[in-house]
Amino acid sequence: DAGITQSPRHKVTETGTPVTLRCHQTENHRYMYWYRQDPGHGLRLIHYSYGVKDTDKGEVSDGYSVSRSKTEDFLLTLESATSSQTSVYFCAISGEAGGVSEQFFGPGTRLTVL
Amino acid sequence: GESVGLHLPTLSVQEGDNSIINCAYSNSASDYFIWYKQESGKGPQFIIDIRSNMDKRQGQRVTVLLNKTVKHLSLQIAATQPGDSAVYFCAETNQAGTALIFGKGTTLSVSS
């Protein structure tokens, strides 16, 4: 399995609080992605990174920000969590650009916003 | 807009049968397609991929077929086993070629 870890694995928080999810990889892959997975929607891309300090928005980026200060870490921040952000969040990595090769996924973080 | 869909949300088969999971895609310019398997409580796991210059690719017990004329992708699993029970997702390249667009998934249930 690709060396991808996510932390925390589970989190319960209250509406309006900030939340940061961490993705850590040991594969030295250039590309990293954050997805959310909800029933009936499959996996939807939030943000992605194509290098240190290089990030771009995905399909559902509103309410989320990201940062990548090191190759191995990609952080997803919810500045002010809302109940609609209750979801399972997956991080993925790939060695090539996002649409041209397989992505390897982490184990996921289950976030509940009350 | 871009969309990747699967024809059936669920599929139930008997152990030993062959399974076929279908997917329709909308981006005629997509040049890369991929299938993932997701077991309960885990992240998606790569199964097999195919590029648009091919119409068939085989792996271990799995075959992916690509029909670009009708924008259809299928995953065939031979001699389905209980361990194959999972949600299967297809994905295609987005319009910009920068990311993958995932379908909503088909839940495969294998009974013994």
Side-chain angles (χ1 to χ4, degrees):
Chain A
D1 291 343
I4 311 169
T5 57
Q6 293 183 231
S7 59
R9 293 294 313 279
H10 302 271
K11 185 169 181 67
V12 179
T13 191
E14 294 187 347
T15 297
T17 60
V19 176
T20 295
L21 308 183
R22 180 182 182 234
C23 177
H24 179 78
Q25 60 143 330
T26 57
E27 305 296 318
N28 200 35
H29 280 346
R30 178 180 175 185
Y31 300 90
M32 299 185 75
Y33 314 85
W34 276 109
Y35 292 88
R36 60 177 290 173
Q37 186 174 37
D38 305 287
H41 290 280
L43 288 152
R44 292 182 292 174
L45 182 65
I46 305 172
H47 281 280
Y48 64 99
S49 170
Y50 44 95
V52 173
K53 300 192 189 307
D54 291 324
T55 65
D56 207 347
K57 296 179 180 180
E59 178 187 359
V60 290
S61 59
D62 288 348
Y64 301 95
S65 63
V66 289
S67 66
R68 190 159 178 212
S69 59
K70 299 184 290 185
T71 298
E72 57 266 36
D73 289 325
F74 193 32
L75 303 181
L76 177 70
T77 297
L78 291 65
E79 301 291 347
S80 178
T82 66
S83 58
S84 65
Q85 293 176 310
T86 292
S87 186
V88 180
Y89 291 86
F90 287 99
C91 174
I93 65 174
S94 68
E96 298 180 53
V100 300
S101 74
E102 68 267 32
Q103 297 175 15
F104 302 96
F105 284 82
T109 293
R110 183 173 294 277
L111 176 67
T112 302
V113 184
L114 302 176
Chain B
E2 300 178 37
S3 66
V4 178
L6 294 170
H7 295 301
L8 291 175
T10 61
L11 177 65
S12 296
V13 301
Q14 292 283 328
E15 182 179 2
D17 287 351
N18 296 329
S19 302
I20 299 175
I21 301 173
N22 295 304
C23 182
Y25 63 93
S26 60
N27 180 12
S28 57
S30 287
D31 57 5
Y32 180 72
F33 304 86
I34 191 168
W35 282 98
Y36 282 92
K37 172 186 179 183
Q38 186 177 26
E39 296 174 275
S40 181
K42 297 183 179 180
Q45 182 180 16
F46 169 81
I47 302 174
I48 192 167
D49 59 3
I50 189 168
R51 300 195 184 276
S52 59
N53 60 350
M54 302 172 67
D55 54 18
K56 179 180 181 179
R57 192 171 185 209
Q58 290 184 291
Q60 187 176 15
R61 280 202 307 119
V62 295
T63 300
V64 56
L65 299 177
L66 175 63
N67 185 331
K68 294 181 288 295
T69 302
V70 295
K71 293 188 286 187
H72 184 269
L73 189 69
S74 68
L75 177 71
Q76 300 179 1
I77 304 174
T80 313
Q81 302 168 1
D84 294 325
S85 294
V87 180
Y88 290 82
F89 294 94
C90 64
E92 63 168 331
T93 312
N94 67 352
Q95 291 277 6
T98 56
L100 293 172
I101 303 294
F102 286 82
K104 293 180 173 55
T106 290
T107 299
L108 175 65
S109 298
V110 182
S111 54
S112 53

mmCIF file of all heavy atoms in Angstrom, chain A residues 9 35 37 40-43 45 48 90 98-103 105-107, chain B residues 32 34 36 38 42-44 46 49 51 89 93 97-100 102-104:
data_model
loop_
_atom_site.group_PDB
_atom_site.id
_atom_site.type_symbol
_atom_site.label_atom_id
_atom_site.label_comp_id
_atom_site.label_asym_id
_atom_site.label_seq_id
_atom_site.Cartn_x
_atom_site.Cartn_y
_atom_site.Cartn_z
ATOM 1 N N ARG A 9 -8.515 10.396 12.296
ATOM 2 C CA ARG A 9 -9.347 9.467 11.542
ATOM 3 C C ARG A 9 -10.830 9.747 11.784
ATOM 4 O O ARG A 9 -11.663 9.479 10.918
ATOM 5 C CB ARG A 9 -9.029 8.035 11.936
ATOM 6 C CG ARG A 9 -7.622 7.555 11.534
ATOM 7 C CD ARG A 9 -7.458 7.472 10.009
ATOM 8 N NE ARG A 9 -8.564 6.807 9.372
ATOM 9 C CZ ARG A 9 -8.698 5.491 9.309
ATOM 10 N NH1 ARG A 9 -7.793 4.703 9.820
ATOM 11 N NH2 ARG A 9 -9.745 4.974 8.686
ATOM 12 N N TYR A 35 -10.537 14.895 -1.358
ATOM 13 C CA TYR A 35 -11.881 14.602 -1.828
ATOM 14 C C TYR A 35 -12.812 14.516 -0.621
ATOM 15 O O TYR A 35 -12.402 14.213 0.483
ATOM 16 C CB TYR A 35 -11.941 13.246 -2.527
ATOM 17 C CG TYR A 35 -11.204 13.139 -3.836
ATOM 18 C CD1 TYR A 35 -9.854 12.782 -3.866
ATOM 19 C CD2 TYR A 35 -11.870 13.350 -5.040
ATOM 20 C CE1 TYR A 35 -9.184 12.665 -5.078
ATOM 21 C CE2 TYR A 35 -11.202 13.232 -6.252
ATOM 22 C CZ TYR A 35 -9.869 12.887 -6.256
ATOM 23 O OH TYR A 35 -9.209 12.760 -7.461
ATOM 24 N N GLN A 37 -16.531 12.446 0.312
ATOM 25 C CA GLN A 37 -17.404 11.379 -0.174
ATOM 26 C C GLN A 37 -18.701 11.412 0.607
ATOM 27 O O GLN A 37 -18.699 11.299 1.829
ATOM 28 C CB GLN A 37 -16.732 10.007 -0.024
ATOM 29 C CG GLN A 37 -17.550 8.885 -0.646
ATOM 30 C CD GLN A 37 -16.823 7.565 -0.637
ATOM 31 O OE1 GLN A 37 -16.115 7.232 0.303
ATOM 32 N NE2 GLN A 37 -16.975 6.811 -1.720
ATOM 33 N N GLY A 40 -24.655 9.141 -2.495
ATOM 34 C CA GLY A 40 -25.315 9.663 -3.683
ATOM 35 C C GLY A 40 -24.466 10.580 -4.533
ATOM 36 O O GLY A 40 -24.896 10.999 -5.604
ATOM 37 N N HIS A 41 -23.256 10.896 -4.055
ATOM 38 C CA HIS A 41 -22.391 11.815 -4.805
ATOM 39 C C HIS A 41 -21.047 11.213 -5.176
ATOM 40 O O HIS A 41 -20.283 11.825 -5.902
ATOM 41 C CB HIS A 41 -22.148 13.091 -3.998
ATOM 42 C CG HIS A 41 -23.348 13.963 -3.880
ATOM 43 N ND1 HIS A 41 -23.756 14.819 -4.884
ATOM 44 C CD2 HIS A 41 -24.247 14.110 -2.879
ATOM 45 C CE1 HIS A 41 -24.839 15.456 -4.493
ATOM 46 N NE2 HIS A 41 -25.163 15.050 -3.286
ATOM 47 N N GLY A 42 -20.713 10.076 -4.675
ATOM 48 C CA GLY A 42 -19.402 9.532 -4.966
ATOM 49 C C GLY A 42 -18.304 10.399 -4.382
ATOM 50 O O GLY A 42 -18.485 11.055 -3.355
ATOM 51 N N LEU A 43 -17.180 10.429 -5.061
ATOM 52 C CA LEU A 43 -16.026 11.214 -4.622
ATOM 53 C C LEU A 43 -15.992 12.529 -5.392
ATOM 54 O O LEU A 43 -16.025 12.536 -6.623
ATOM 55 C CB LEU A 43 -14.733 10.448 -4.881
ATOM 56 C CG LEU A 43 -14.475 9.263 -3.967
ATOM 57 C CD1 LEU A 43 -13.640 8.214 -4.669
ATOM 58 C CD2 LEU A 43 -13.775 9.731 -2.696
ATOM 59 N N LEU A 45 -13.860 16.226 -5.845
ATOM 60 C CA LEU A 45 -12.578 16.873 -5.597
ATOM 61 C C LEU A 45 -12.778 18.246 -4.950
ATOM 62 O O LEU A 45 -13.519 19.080 -5.462
ATOM 63 C CB LEU A 45 -11.813 17.016 -6.917
ATOM 64 C CG LEU A 45 -10.421 17.624 -6.836
ATOM 65 C CD1 LEU A 45 -9.484 16.717 -6.048
ATOM 66 C CD2 LEU A 45 -9.877 17.857 -8.243
ATOM 67 N N TYR A 48 -6.579 20.449 -4.944
ATOM 68 C CA TYR A 48 -5.444 19.598 -5.210
ATOM 69 C C TYR A 48 -4.163 20.434 -5.250
ATOM 70 O O TYR A 48 -4.212 21.672 -5.319
ATOM 71 C CB TYR A 48 -5.620 18.800 -6.505
ATOM 72 C CG TYR A 48 -5.697 19.614 -7.767
ATOM 73 C CD1 TYR A 48 -4.591 19.785 -8.581
ATOM 74 C CD2 TYR A 48 -6.906 20.183 -8.170
ATOM 75 C CE1 TYR A 48 -4.669 20.514 -9.755
ATOM 76 C CE2 TYR A 48 -7.001 20.914 -9.334
ATOM 77 C CZ TYR A 48 -5.884 21.066 -10.131
ATOM 78 O OH TYR A 48 -5.975 21.794 -11.291
ATOM 79 N N PHE A 90 -11.175 12.088 1.991
ATOM 80 C CA PHE A 90 -10.071 11.245 1.552
ATOM 81 C C PHE A 90 -8.982 12.094 0.920
ATOM 82 O O PHE A 90 -9.253 13.006 0.123
ATOM 83 C CB PHE A 90 -10.545 10.213 0.523
ATOM 84 C CG PHE A 90 -11.354 9.110 1.108
ATOM 85 C CD1 PHE A 90 -12.739 9.132 1.037
ATOM 86 C CD2 PHE A 90 -10.743 8.030 1.739
ATOM 87 C CE1 PHE A 90 -13.502 8.105 1.575
ATOM 88 C CE2 PHE A 90 -11.494 7.011 2.280
ATOM 89 C CZ PHE A 90 -12.872 7.044 2.200
ATOM 90 N N GLY A 98 -2.938 14.826 -12.359
ATOM 91 C CA GLY A 98 -4.158 14.243 -11.827
ATOM 92 C C GLY A 98 -5.000 13.418 -12.762
ATOM 93 O O GLY A 98 -5.629 12.462 -12.357
ATOM 94 N N GLY A 99 -5.037 13.754 -14.035
ATOM 95 C CA GLY A 99 -5.943 13.042 -14.897
ATOM 96 C C GLY A 99 -5.283 11.968 -15.743
ATOM 97 O O GLY A 99 -5.920 11.390 -16.620
ATOM 98 N N VAL A 100 -4.037 11.643 -15.487
ATOM 99 C CA VAL A 100 -3.351 10.743 -16.400
ATOM 100 C C VAL A 100 -2.747 9.520 -15.734
ATOM 101 O O VAL A 100 -2.084 8.731 -16.408
ATOM 102 C CB VAL A 100 -2.250 11.489 -17.181
ATOM 103 C CG1 VAL A 100 -2.851 12.619 -17.985
ATOM 104 C CG2 VAL A 100 -1.169 11.998 -16.257
ATOM 105 N N SER A 101 -2.972 9.339 -14.464
ATOM 106 C CA SER A 101 -2.435 8.139 -13.824
ATOM 107 C C SER A 101 -3.233 7.847 -12.564
ATOM 108 O O SER A 101 -3.999 8.675 -12.103
ATOM 109 C CB SER A 101 -0.961 8.305 -13.464
ATOM 110 O OG SER A 101 -0.811 9.162 -12.353
ATOM 111 N N GLU A 102 -3.012 6.624 -12.045
ATOM 112 C CA GLU A 102 -3.771 6.247 -10.862
ATOM 113 C C GLU A 102 -3.400 7.108 -9.667
ATOM 114 O O GLU A 102 -2.265 7.578 -9.541
ATOM 115 C CB GLU A 102 -3.559 4.766 -10.522
ATOM 116 C CG GLU A 102 -2.173 4.398 -10.060
ATOM 117 C CD GLU A 102 -1.288 3.945 -11.180
ATOM 118 O OE1 GLU A 102 -1.462 4.445 -12.319
ATOM 119 O OE2 GLU A 102 -0.417 3.104 -10.931
ATOM 120 N N GLN A 103 -4.394 7.298 -8.817
ATOM 121 C CA GLN A 103 -4.201 7.980 -7.558
ATOM 122 C C GLN A 103 -4.329 6.948 -6.442
ATOM 123 O O GLN A 103 -5.151 6.040 -6.527
ATOM 124 C CB GLN A 103 -5.241 9.086 -7.378
ATOM 125 C CG GLN A 103 -5.129 10.179 -8.423
ATOM 126 C CD GLN A 103 -6.223 11.216 -8.324
ATOM 127 O OE1 GLN A 103 -6.933 11.308 -7.327
ATOM 128 N NE2 GLN A 103 -6.372 12.015 -9.368
ATOM 129 N N PHE A 105 -5.144 6.286 -2.478
ATOM 130 C CA PHE A 105 -5.955 6.945 -1.461
ATOM 131 C C PHE A 105 -5.543 6.565 -0.045
ATOM 132 O O PHE A 105 -5.102 5.450 0.218
ATOM 133 C CB PHE A 105 -7.433 6.572 -1.657
ATOM 134 C CG PHE A 105 -8.073 7.289 -2.806
ATOM 135 C CD1 PHE A 105 -7.912 6.836 -4.099
ATOM 136 C CD2 PHE A 105 -8.828 8.425 -2.589
ATOM 137 C CE1 PHE A 105 -8.489 7.507 -5.173
ATOM 138 C CE2 PHE A 105 -9.418 9.104 -3.642
ATOM 139 C CZ PHE A 105 -9.235 8.641 -4.937
ATOM 140 N N GLY A 106 -5.731 7.527 0.847
ATOM 141 C CA GLY A 106 -5.549 7.283 2.261
ATOM 142 C C GLY A 106 -6.766 6.600 2.859
ATOM 143 O O GLY A 106 -7.743 6.333 2.156
ATOM 144 N N PRO A 107 -6.742 6.338 4.167
ATOM 145 C CA PRO A 107 -7.836 5.594 4.818
ATOM 146 C C PRO A 107 -9.072 6.419 5.108
ATOM 147 O O PRO A 107 -10.113 5.870 5.450
ATOM 148 C CB PRO A 107 -7.195 5.115 6.125
ATOM 149 C CG PRO A 107 -6.158 6.161 6.415
ATOM 150 C CD PRO A 107 -5.631 6.584 5.085
ATOM 151 N N TYR B 32 -8.142 8.884 -20.417
ATOM 152 C CA TYR B 32 -7.709 7.973 -19.354
ATOM 153 C C TYR B 32 -8.909 7.626 -18.503
ATOM 154 O O TYR B 32 -9.684 8.504 -18.104
ATOM 155 C CB TYR B 32 -6.627 8.651 -18.517
ATOM 156 C CG TYR B 32 -6.094 7.811 -17.384
ATOM 157 C CD1 TYR B 32 -5.272 6.717 -17.632
ATOM 158 C CD2 TYR B 32 -6.421 8.105 -16.068
ATOM 159 C CE1 TYR B 32 -4.787 5.939 -16.596
ATOM 160 C CE2 TYR B 32 -5.942 7.331 -15.033
ATOM 161 C CZ TYR B 32 -5.114 6.251 -15.297
ATOM 162 O OH TYR B 32 -4.633 5.500 -14.269
ATOM 163 N N ILE B 34 -10.309 4.777 -15.241
ATOM 164 C CA ILE B 34 -9.780 3.967 -14.144
ATOM 165 C C ILE B 34 -10.922 3.402 -13.323
ATOM 166 O O ILE B 34 -11.987 4.030 -13.218
ATOM 167 C CB ILE B 34 -8.823 4.836 -13.286
ATOM 168 C CG1 ILE B 34 -8.039 4.017 -12.293
ATOM 169 C CG2 ILE B 34 -9.547 5.989 -12.623
ATOM 170 C CD1 ILE B 34 -6.896 4.797 -11.662
ATOM 171 N N TYR B 36 -11.898 1.785 -9.491
ATOM 172 C CA TYR B 36 -11.501 1.629 -8.104
ATOM 173 C C TYR B 36 -12.491 0.716 -7.384
ATOM 174 O O TYR B 36 -13.669 0.685 -7.710
ATOM 175 C CB TYR B 36 -11.478 2.967 -7.369
ATOM 176 C CG TYR B 36 -10.272 3.820 -7.653
ATOM 177 C CD1 TYR B 36 -10.297 4.765 -8.666
ATOM 178 C CD2 TYR B 36 -9.119 3.685 -6.913
ATOM 179 C CE1 TYR B 36 -9.190 5.557 -8.924
ATOM 180 C CE2 TYR B 36 -8.002 4.477 -7.160
ATOM 181 C CZ TYR B 36 -8.055 5.408 -8.174
ATOM 182 O OH TYR B 36 -6.962 6.180 -8.423
ATOM 183 N N GLN B 38 -13.857 -0.031 -3.440
ATOM 184 C CA GLN B 38 -13.850 0.509 -2.083
ATOM 185 C C GLN B 38 -14.609 -0.407 -1.149
ATOM 186 O O GLN B 38 -15.819 -0.609 -1.289
ATOM 187 C CB GLN B 38 -14.457 1.912 -2.045
ATOM 188 C CG GLN B 38 -14.336 2.565 -0.669
ATOM 189 C CD GLN B 38 -14.866 3.991 -0.659
ATOM 190 O OE1 GLN B 38 -15.712 4.373 -1.452
ATOM 191 N NE2 GLN B 38 -14.353 4.802 0.263
ATOM 192 N N LYS B 42 -12.921 1.814 4.220
ATOM 193 C CA LYS B 42 -11.577 1.983 3.675
ATOM 194 C C LYS B 42 -11.574 2.980 2.529
ATOM 195 O O LYS B 42 -12.631 3.339 2.000
ATOM 196 C CB LYS B 42 -11.037 0.638 3.180
ATOM 197 C CG LYS B 42 -10.867 -0.405 4.268
ATOM 198 C CD LYS B 42 -10.262 -1.668 3.701
ATOM 199 C CE LYS B 42 -10.060 -2.724 4.776
ATOM 200 N NZ LYS B 42 -9.469 -3.973 4.224
ATOM 201 N N GLY B 43 -10.389 3.393 2.136
ATOM 202 C CA GLY B 43 -10.263 4.260 0.982
ATOM 203 C C GLY B 43 -10.342 3.473 -0.308
ATOM 204 O O GLY B 43 -10.150 2.248 -0.325
ATOM 205 N N PRO B 44 -10.651 4.117 -1.434
ATOM 206 C CA PRO B 44 -10.685 3.433 -2.719
ATOM 207 C C PRO B 44 -9.331 2.814 -3.066
ATOM 208 O O PRO B 44 -8.283 3.393 -2.782
ATOM 209 C CB PRO B 44 -11.046 4.553 -3.696
ATOM 210 C CG PRO B 44 -11.739 5.580 -2.875
ATOM 211 C CD PRO B 44 -11.041 5.535 -1.544
ATOM 212 N N PHE B 46 -7.059 1.044 -6.201
ATOM 213 C CA PHE B 46 -6.902 0.917 -7.647
ATOM 214 C C PHE B 46 -7.107 -0.536 -8.097
ATOM 215 O O PHE B 46 -6.587 -1.470 -7.487
ATOM 216 C CB PHE B 46 -5.513 1.399 -8.042
ATOM 217 C CG PHE B 46 -5.117 1.096 -9.466
ATOM 218 C CD1 PHE B 46 -5.553 1.903 -10.494
ATOM 219 C CD2 PHE B 46 -4.324 0.003 -9.765
ATOM 220 C CE1 PHE B 46 -5.196 1.638 -11.804
ATOM 221 C CE2 PHE B 46 -3.958 -0.272 -11.066
ATOM 222 C CZ PHE B 46 -4.387 0.546 -12.096
ATOM 223 N N ASP B 49 -6.689 0.289 -15.037
ATOM 224 C CA ASP B 49 -6.917 1.500 -15.813
ATOM 225 C C ASP B 49 -6.772 1.202 -17.299
ATOM 226 O O ASP B 49 -6.314 0.122 -17.700
ATOM 227 C CB ASP B 49 -5.986 2.632 -15.389
ATOM 228 C CG ASP B 49 -4.503 2.292 -15.520
ATOM 229 O OD1 ASP B 49 -4.165 1.181 -15.996
ATOM 230 O OD2 ASP B 49 -3.665 3.131 -15.112
ATOM 231 N N ARG B 51 -6.206 3.446 -21.246
ATOM 232 C CA ARG B 51 -6.089 4.702 -21.973
ATOM 233 C C ARG B 51 -6.924 4.634 -23.234
ATOM 234 O O ARG B 51 -7.259 3.551 -23.715
ATOM 235 C CB ARG B 51 -4.619 5.003 -22.265
ATOM 236 C CG ARG B 51 -3.821 5.113 -20.980
ATOM 237 C CD ARG B 51 -2.468 5.748 -21.123
ATOM 238 N NE ARG B 51 -1.774 5.705 -19.847
ATOM 239 C CZ ARG B 51 -1.918 6.594 -18.877
ATOM 240 N NH1 ARG B 51 -2.742 7.612 -19.031
ATOM 241 N NH2 ARG B 51 -1.262 6.480 -17.741
ATOM 242 N N PHE B 89 -16.089 2.100 -8.382
ATOM 243 C CA PHE B 89 -16.192 3.419 -8.996
ATOM 244 C C PHE B 89 -15.409 3.444 -10.295
ATOM 245 O O PHE B 89 -14.281 2.957 -10.359
ATOM 246 C CB PHE B 89 -15.603 4.501 -8.093
ATOM 247 C CG PHE B 89 -16.341 4.729 -6.816
ATOM 248 C CD1 PHE B 89 -15.958 4.080 -5.652
ATOM 249 C CD2 PHE B 89 -17.413 5.602 -6.767
ATOM 250 C CE1 PHE B 89 -16.633 4.291 -4.454
ATOM 251 C CE2 PHE B 89 -18.093 5.830 -5.583
ATOM 252 C CZ PHE B 89 -17.701 5.167 -4.427
ATOM 253 N N THR B 93 -10.853 11.326 -16.938
ATOM 254 C CA THR B 93 -10.139 12.603 -16.889
ATOM 255 C C THR B 93 -11.130 13.747 -17.030
ATOM 256 O O THR B 93 -12.060 13.659 -17.834
ATOM 257 C CB THR B 93 -9.136 12.682 -18.051
ATOM 258 O OG1 THR B 93 -8.393 11.480 -18.107
ATOM 259 C CG2 THR B 93 -8.205 13.847 -17.891
ATOM 260 N N GLY B 97 -7.928 17.914 -18.014
ATOM 261 C CA GLY B 97 -6.889 16.897 -17.894
ATOM 262 C C GLY B 97 -6.086 16.977 -16.619
ATOM 263 O O GLY B 97 -4.991 16.427 -16.526
ATOM 264 N N THR B 98 -6.636 17.672 -15.623
ATOM 265 C CA THR B 98 -5.885 17.898 -14.389
ATOM 266 C C THR B 98 -6.364 17.042 -13.232
ATOM 267 O O THR B 98 -5.733 17.011 -12.189
ATOM 268 C CB THR B 98 -6.008 19.371 -13.963
ATOM 269 O OG1 THR B 98 -7.405 19.700 -13.836
ATOM 270 C CG2 THR B 98 -5.362 20.290 -14.989
ATOM 271 N N ALA B 99 -7.487 16.387 -13.400
ATOM 272 C CA ALA B 99 -8.043 15.626 -12.280
ATOM 273 C C ALA B 99 -8.936 14.522 -12.806
ATOM 274 O O ALA B 99 -9.234 14.442 -13.994
ATOM 275 C CB ALA B 99 -8.823 16.555 -11.357
ATOM 276 N N LEU B 100 -9.340 13.656 -11.895
ATOM 277 C CA LEU B 100 -10.271 12.585 -12.217
ATOM 278 C C LEU B 100 -11.669 12.964 -11.746
ATOM 279 O O LEU B 100 -11.843 13.545 -10.691
ATOM 280 C CB LEU B 100 -9.838 11.289 -11.538
ATOM 281 C CG LEU B 100 -8.533 10.655 -12.029
ATOM 282 C CD1 LEU B 100 -8.154 9.483 -11.125
ATOM 283 C CD2 LEU B 100 -8.663 10.202 -13.472
ATOM 284 N N PHE B 102 -15.179 11.189 -10.725
ATOM 285 C CA PHE B 102 -15.654 9.873 -10.311
ATOM 286 C C PHE B 102 -17.147 9.729 -10.522
ATOM 287 O O PHE B 102 -17.921 10.668 -10.333
ATOM 288 C CB PHE B 102 -15.328 9.646 -8.836
ATOM 289 C CG PHE B 102 -13.885 9.384 -8.566
ATOM 290 C CD1 PHE B 102 -12.975 10.424 -8.467
ATOM 291 C CD2 PHE B 102 -13.425 8.088 -8.421
ATOM 292 C CE1 PHE B 102 -11.639 10.184 -8.236
ATOM 293 C CE2 PHE B 102 -12.083 7.830 -8.178
ATOM 294 C CZ PHE B 102 -11.191 8.882 -8.085
ATOM 295 N N GLY B 103 -17.565 8.520 -10.862
ATOM 296 C CA GLY B 103 -18.969 8.181 -10.888
ATOM 297 C C GLY B 103 -19.473 7.932 -9.475
ATOM 298 O O GLY B 103 -18.708 7.970 -8.515
ATOM 299 N N LYS B 104 -20.745 7.676 -9.356
ATOM 300 C CA LYS B 104 -21.364 7.540 -8.042
ATOM 301 C C LYS B 104 -21.192 6.166 -7.426
ATOM 302 O O LYS B 104 -21.441 5.983 -6.247
ATOM 303 C CB LYS B 104 -22.849 7.901 -8.127
ATOM 304 C CG LYS B 104 -23.091 9.373 -8.436
ATOM 305 C CD LYS B 104 -24.558 9.692 -8.519
ATOM 306 C CE LYS B 104 -24.823 11.181 -8.649
ATOM 307 N NZ LYS B 104 -24.127 11.800 -9.778
#
